Amino acid sequence: MFKDLLKLDLYPTSWCPGCGIGQIAIQLAMTMDELGLDHTNSTLVSGVGCTARMPEYFNMDGTYTLHGRTLPFAEAVKIVNPDLNVIVVSGDGDLASIGGNHLVHVSRRNANLAVICNSNQVYGLTGGQAGPTTPKGTKTTSTPVGSPYEPVNIQGLMRANASYFYARTTIYHQAHLRKCIKEAIAWPGFAFVDLVCNCIENNGRRLGFASAYEMLQYYRSTYKQAPEGTDVLEPFQIGIIKKDSSA
Ligand SMILES: Cc1ncc(C[n+]2csc(CCOP(=O)(O)OP(=O)(O)O)c2C)c(N)n1
Ligand code: SF4
């Protein structure tokens, strides 16, 4: 039962009502349950941020590391416990901004990790500043007239490696999200799930969404499944691209 993986006695969580992170936790627990993963064979590693609070709600050993140092910490856990399923769940700021250097190198080393990145397009915990996945032109608390920069191309970074697994999905597309998590856990190397997700309080409302539901409807109407066999995901396409150069 997936609920056994969650510390329901700690609910309600510290996440805002309507935040997508609660759904990420439930979808992850459902997927882990389906795969027979629990405290005996798995661990969660996170950094610092709203998303990074997730391990405390799971009934298994988890680590809340330093902001940005999530990936090398997780890599070390995997090296000393090769039989453990090491699942990283953290924010895009943690993984791709302050942790961006580690993303380049831990993925290049093809560490056997399943990484779930909450790409909510802002720094949620600290009040909605622009982050690495903030789309150009987006108004945030640190870019009041619109972010002047293009977001980081995480897909491109992953594709620069000899082997890679990159999935893009959204919190609306829950069956697809579970498929991405499942394949990422099974992938024998570095697997990155770029999960577009709603931060209603520190992003959505500023963009004009009245509710989390409206954000989910936006993901529903905007993101489309990429055709089978796609090599590169276009903007607003969900799907999985992968290459195992050792195969
Ligand atoms: C070394 C360091 N720098 C900055 C901070 C402040 N800080 C905490 S969380 C955070 C960013 C959170 O954004 P993200 O990682 O995208 O996670 P989210 O809250 O959106 O889930 C920042 C800048 C910190 N805790 N440590
Ligand atoms: S600030 Fe945003 S990301 Fe953080 S818990 Fe609230 S809605 Fe979620």
Side-chain angles (χ1 to χ4, degrees):
M1 182 64 173
F2 79 90
K3 287 182 182 172
D4 296 337
L5 292 170
L6 297 168
K7 289 183 186 148
L8 293 179
D9 51 320
L10 294 185
Y11 276 53
T13 67
S14 56
W15 300 308
C16 305
C19 177
I21 300 174
Q23 270 305 311
I24 301 177
I26 287 172
Q27 298 302 319
L28 176 59
M30 288 171 77
T31 311
M32 291 179 75
D33 182 54
E34 224 174 287
L35 296 173
L37 304 187
D38 60 20
H39 67 284
T40 63
N41 52 29
S42 305
T43 190
L44 293 185
V45 179
S46 69
V48 171
C50 293
T51 317
R53 289 176 169 156
M54 198 171 301
E56 78 192 61
Y57 294 109
F58 273 73
N59 268 321
M60 62 185 61
D61 285 342
T63 319
Y64 194 50
T65 70
L66 295 176
H67 190 41
R69 309 301 168 209
T70 318
L71 291 176
F73 185 96
E75 184 179 22
V77 171
K78 184 68 184 179
I79 288 169
V80 297
N81 299 279
D83 294 335
L84 206 56
N85 294 289
V86 182
I87 300 170
V88 171
V89 59
S90 206
D92 53 323
D94 186 72
L95 294 169
S97 192
I98 189 171
N101 186 31
H102 294 306
L103 180 59
V104 170
H105 296 288
V106 176
S107 67
R108 174 177 64 85
R109 291 193 289 266
N110 204 19
N112 192 353
L113 305 173
V115 181
I116 302 165
C117 175
N118 176 12
S119 293
N120 61 8
Q121 307 186 336
V122 284
Y123 293 168
L125 184 75
T126 45
Q129 296 84 359
T133 65
T134 303
K136 189 176 180 181
T138 306
K139 290 184 181 172
T140 71
T141 50
S142 61
T143 57
V145 294
S147 172
Y149 308 119
E150 293 293 342
V152 66
N153 179 356
I154 298 177
Q155 174 178 216
L157 278 176
M158 296 302 105
R159 290 186 79 251
N161 293 321
S163 296
Y164 58 83
F165 177 109
Y166 172 82
R168 188 188 298 130
T169 188
T170 88
I171 196 63
Y172 173 80
H173 299 86
Q174 299 198 338
H176 185 256
L177 165 57
R178 290 196 298 278
K179 174 180 154 72
C180 292
I181 297 175
K182 199 180 281 184
E183 287 200 23
I185 290 171
W187 185 251
F190 191 84
F192 191 94
V193 179
D194 196 352
L195 168 51
V196 179
C197 186
N198 62 304
C199 165
I200 181 63
E201 291 305 330
N202 281 334
N203 185 35
R205 292 200 196 287
R206 190 176 303 102
L207 299 180
F209 292 101
S211 64
Y213 174 78
E214 278 192 9
M215 292 188 86
L216 295 180
Q217 289 305 316
Y218 170 76
Y219 299 148
R220 177 189 190 185
S221 58
T222 314
Y223 285 83
K224 300 294 173 204
Q225 175 76 50
E228 206 56 45
T230 299
D231 288 338
V232 183
L233 299 177
E234 297 294 331
F236 300 109
Q237 272 187 341
I238 61 172
I240 299 174
I241 59 163
K242 54 193 174 183
K243 179 173 157 194
D244 183 356
S245 63
S246 68

